[in-house]
Amino acid sequence: MTDTVTTTEPPAAAPPPRRSYARLAADESREDYSLRYAPYSFRRWSPSTVAGTALGGIAYLADFAIGASIVFTFGFTSGLASILTAAVIIFLTGIPIAKACARYGLDMDLITRGAGFGYFGSTLTSLIYASFTFIFFALEGSIMAQAMHQALGLPVEIGYLVTTLIVIPIVFRGMGALAKVQAWTQPIWIIGMVLPFVVLAFEAPDAWGAFGSFGGTEGAGSGFSWIGFGLGTGVALSLIAQIGEQADYLRFMPARTAANKRRWNLAVLAAGPGWVIIGAAKQIGGAFLAFVALEAVGKTHALEPIAPQIEALKPWLGSLALPAAAVFVVVSQIKINVTNAYSGSLSWSNFFSRVTHKHPGRVWYIFLNLAIALTLMEMNMFAALGKLLGFYSNVGIAWIVAVAADLVINKRAGWSPPYIEFKRAYLYAVNPAGFGAMVIASTVSILAFFGLFGVYAQAFSTFIAAGLALILCPLIAWATKGRYYLARPNPVWGHAQAGSAGSAGGAAVAGVPDVTATHLCTVCETAYELPDIADCPVRSGPICSLCCSLDAECGDVCRRDPDAGPVLMPVPTIPTRVPGA
């Protein structure tokens, strides 16, 4: 009898189940790569179309109310200086951010991650940005509700609800629908914007001269005041986070090629920082219209854009001035509030995906953002406009200046990687360079804003925030030798992103993988372009950035072993050259 020995090998580990996304989260025609790099295959719009859509989003009339509030409070001279100074600061900080977003196909949150804040460090800026979108949605919605009350007698409380609901079908559809709305409404907006000033040029030619000596309604006087200048600049600088909304469109810029280089650069400049040129002109123009209407409608109504519009149009349109002004206001506010709602949904998506490791889809966060905005409207936040925006600007400017400092200074000095790394697999949770600079700068400036350091520091609190962020971000990066930018090296993917993104649409770079080659994610089994893929030691293969973000079980093994490097070099590819190459 022969003994038989049976050996049993341990069963092979079952492969992890394929991740599938909810229908709405999987539909990129609505999702618009809300948590991702925008691939070249999706960037099908021309530079002029992207720029036109982005600029359509600045049709808002909050500029009118903000400019009028500044000039009424601090007088013409100090108010004008405040508006122009804020515009210069916003323009300069917006240039590097706009270029980075258009070049790498990333929104403001993903840029912030790689520009000195880290993977979880940028969750705070996601909240800052989300608050910007719902604060300004509420402000713009209040202006629309005021117009509907004037034109239709609709109670403003009901108007708040209408202004909220009307944008949902548009924002639900994503970038394609937004581009159409902005293009179709642009002629009406341009006519409505220009006509009141044309009327006043003929009917009240001396008004500009009187406006130049206007001393405000609070006794500030027509002369220059340093205190008024500082406080007014702080209010105007609350708009600095608008570059984030411009970036939400700029990430869809097509590849820059030799043929479109000039148009591409002009489009990025115009749609990025260029918005503030129009914005500053609107603030000054809005203050002028409010000044002309002040005697007829009183201070309270003069600060509501609908009333000055009506008064300016009356000499030519008579009884038609009210409906004409109402149409202009409603169109303007729809144009901006679809952008506010869209950008807010992107920001909330980024925040909750990192905190909860779940992503039900961008569209669900539209309702969260709009619910908060509606609550603010019902609380009549319009009445506290100046104080609210003055406080907010202290935090907003610290964030934006820290990011700009990283892009302009740290990357050129070699303390920051030459490309934008946004994927969880390669980032530290918190980078003290940008995150630390923002927290310190905003904390000090908020204390100054509340008067802890005296009246001059209170007036110039936003300058304190900007100055500290500009100095501290490079200083911390230098002191830490840039060690907190990358948790582990990314030689293949990083090289591809730095090289190919820099020459997108041009000749292929020797030794650099094609940035548009697609790679299959081992988790969701979907193909993604190279910058959206990371090497995952847990999955033993490539993983897309979203599956990586949503993985709650990996324990961040890849980041705990910085010497691991890439674990899977040969991956299946479907090579496709960058458009124009």
Side-chain angles (χ1 to χ4, degrees):
M1 184 173 181
T2 305
D3 293 333
T4 304
V5 178
T6 304
T7 59
T8 304
E9 295 183 0
R18 176 181 181 271
R19 175 180 282 121
S20 60
Y21 294 102
R23 183 174 60 86
L24 290 176
D27 184 359
E28 288 298 350
S29 67
R30 292 184 176 91
E31 188 68 7
D32 278 353
Y33 298 89
S34 59
L35 302 177
R36 300 180 180 278
Y37 150 87
Y40 282 105
S41 60
F42 192 74
R43 303 187 217 175
R44 60 184 181 272
W45 296 276
S46 68
S48 58
T49 298
V50 176
T53 303
L55 288 175
I58 65 165
Y60 53 86
L61 297 183
D63 271 336
F64 279 34
I66 291 171
S69 176
I70 292 172
V71 173
F72 276 27
T73 304
F74 307 112
F76 173 81
T77 304
S78 298
L80 178 64
S82 298
I83 292 169
L84 295 180
T85 301
V88 171
I89 295 172
I90 292 172
F91 187 87
L92 293 177
T93 56
I95 293 173
I97 293 173
K99 287 184 176 180
C101 292
R103 176 184 178 186
Y104 292 109
L106 304 177
D107 65 13
M108 193 65 202
D109 179 78
L110 302 185
I111 288 288
T112 300
R113 286 188 200 177
F117 282 72
Y119 183 73
F120 273 105
S122 63
T123 55
L124 178 59
T125 63
S126 291
L127 288 179
I128 295 171
Y129 184 34
S131 65
F132 174 86
T133 63
F134 63 65
I135 285 173
F136 276 88
F137 187 103
L139 177 57
E140 306 296 348
S142 298
I143 292 172
M144 191 193 302
Q146 292 162 4
M148 291 190 291
H149 176 69
Q150 286 266 51
L152 305 174
L154 189 70
V156 290
E157 293 79 11
I158 302 300
Y160 296 151
L161 181 61
V162 173
T163 63
T164 302
L165 297 177
I166 199 171
V167 304
I168 292 177
I170 303 169
V171 182
F172 200 86
R173 297 299 306 177
M175 174 65 176
L178 266 64
K180 292 177 181 178
V181 167
Q182 300 296 3
W184 293 343
T185 56
Q186 202 73 341
I188 298 174
W189 181 77
I190 292 174
I191 293 171
M193 178 63 67
V194 173
L195 186 58
F197 297 99
V198 173
V199 175
L200 290 177
F202 285 95
E203 301 296 331
D206 298 328
W208 277 107
F211 182 52
S213 60
F214 180 52
T217 59
E218 310 297 324
S222 58
F224 180 80
S225 163
W226 283 107
I227 297 292
F229 166 71
L231 291 171
T233 304
V235 175
L237 279 173
S238 64
L239 292 165
I240 195 168
Q242 176 65 32
I243 189 62
E245 295 197 344
Q246 304 306 114
D248 288 337
Y249 295 114
L250 285 171
R251 64 198 178 105
F252 296 121
M253 286 291 288
R256 185 177 64 175
T257 67
N260 73 3
K261 181 178 179 180
R262 182 181 180 85
R263 289 182 290 112
W264 192 94
N265 288 333
L266 288 174
V268 170
L269 191 66
W275 76 266
V276 78
I277 297 174
I278 301 174
K282 286 164 58 188
Q283 289 176 44
I284 297 169
F288 172 67
L289 292 180
F291 164 75
V292 173
L294 180 61
E295 185 175 347
V297 302
K299 176 187 172 182
T300 300
H301 290 300
L303 294 175
E304 300 171 355
I306 179 67
Q309 287 281 326
I310 296 170
E311 292 301 314
L313 295 175
K314 274 182 179 179
W316 284 12
L317 300 184
S319 61
L320 295 177
L322 173 56
V327 168
F328 168 67
V329 172
V330 170
V331 167
S332 298
Q333 303 316 90
I334 289 176
K335 285 169 73 66
I336 179 55
N337 266 354
V338 294
T339 298
N340 283 327
Y342 177 72
S343 295
S345 70
L346 298 179
S347 187
W348 285 119
S349 295
N350 276 291
F351 174 77
F352 281 108
S353 68
R354 276 169 286 174
V355 173
T356 66
H357 295 290
K358 298 181 185 300
H359 181 56
R362 173 191 68 84
V363 295
W364 294 108
Y365 294 111
I366 296 171
F367 300 102
L368 172 63
N369 209 51
L370 296 186
I372 298 173
L374 179 59
T375 302
L376 290 177
M377 283 189 277
E378 298 292 353
M379 293 170 60
N380 192 25
M381 64 151 287
F382 191 83
L385 175 64
K387 292 182 179 179
L388 178 64
L389 297 183
F391 171 80
Y392 177 84
S393 63
N394 288 278
V395 182
I397 196 170
W399 163 38
I400 298 298
V401 171
V403 172
D406 181 88
L407 295 173
V408 174
I409 301 173
N410 296 1
K411 291 195 179 303
R412 294 185 180 182
W415 303 322
S416 175
Y419 66 101
I420 303 294
E421 181 56 77
F422 64 95
K423 296 180 287 294
R424 173 190 180 187
Y426 299 106
L427 294 175
Y428 281 101
V430 176
N431 185 342
F435 182 79
M438 184 198 73
V439 170
I440 295 171
S442 58
T443 300
V444 174
S445 66
I446 288 173
L447 293 175
F449 176 79
F450 284 109
L452 188 63
F453 307 126
V455 291
Y456 278 94
Q458 182 178 33
F460 286 87
S461 63
T462 50
F463 288 86
I464 294 173
L468 284 176
L470 183 63
I471 294 170
L472 289 175
C473 183
L475 184 62
I476 297 173
W478 168 79
T480 58
K481 296 182 172 56
R483 62 173 294 189
Y484 294 103
Y485 280 89
L486 294 178
R488 63 172 172 137
N490 188 359
V492 177
W493 307 157
H495 189 198
Q497 192 173 355
S500 294
S503 61
V509 180
V512 176
D514 180 7
V515 75
T516 63
T518 57
H519 301 254
L520 200 65
C521 173
T522 57
V523 180
C524 66
E525 299 179 4
T526 305
Y528 297 97
E529 289 183 6
L530 188 55
D532 209 19
I533 287 289
D535 282 305
C536 180
V538 174
R539 304 294 183 181
S540 299
I543 187 172
C544 72
S545 61
L546 181 53
C547 287
C548 182
S549 292
L550 301 183
D551 197 328
E553 301 173 354
C554 68
D556 291 324
V557 171
C558 60
R559 295 194 305 195
R560 292 206 307 269
D561 184 8
D563 297 323
V567 298
L568 189 70
M569 301 294 287
V571 292
T573 64
I574 307 171
T576 53
R577 186 56 53 189
V578 174

